[in-house]
Amino acid sequence: MKKFLYHGKKNICGDRIRLARLGKRLSQTDLARMLQLQGVPAERDIISRMEMGDRLVTDYEVVTIAEVLDVSVVWLLGKEE
C-alpha cells in the first residue's frame, strides 16, 4: 500500500487530538482505554503515533475520538477554530 503524506504527516488531526486530550487532562493510555470501551481497538502507542502524524486515522476513529474528547469532528479535522 502506498503511504500518502500531507505536509509531511499521515493525518491532519493528530495535533488536535493531542490538544483536546491534554485539555481534558488525559494521558494517552486514558484515551486508548476510552476508545476501547467504545469498541475501537487502541493502545497507548497507537495514540502516540496518531498524535505525531505517523499513523493514518480512520474515519470511525476520528468520529469516536471526537465523541470521547467532546469536540466536533470538524474541529478535530482543523476546519473550525
Side-chain angles (χ1 to χ4, degrees), residues 8-55:
K9 295 186 176 187
K10 294 181 182 177
N11 69 59
I12 61 173
C13 61
D15 293 333
R16 294 272 177 125
I17 292 171
R18 182 176 188 278
L19 187 62
R21 177 180 61 77
L22 293 175
K24 298 282 185 186
R25 295 180 175 231
L26 298 171
S27 68
Q28 290 175 339
T29 302
D30 294 333
L31 179 55
R33 286 183 186 143
M34 293 171 77
L35 293 175
Q36 289 171 4
L37 290 172
Q38 297 298 318
V40 175
E43 298 293 333
R44 190 213 53 84
D45 66 314
I46 288 174
I47 304 302
S48 175
R49 291 178 55 221
M50 285 179 182
E51 291 181 355
M52 291 187 304
D54 290 339
R55 181 183 179 278

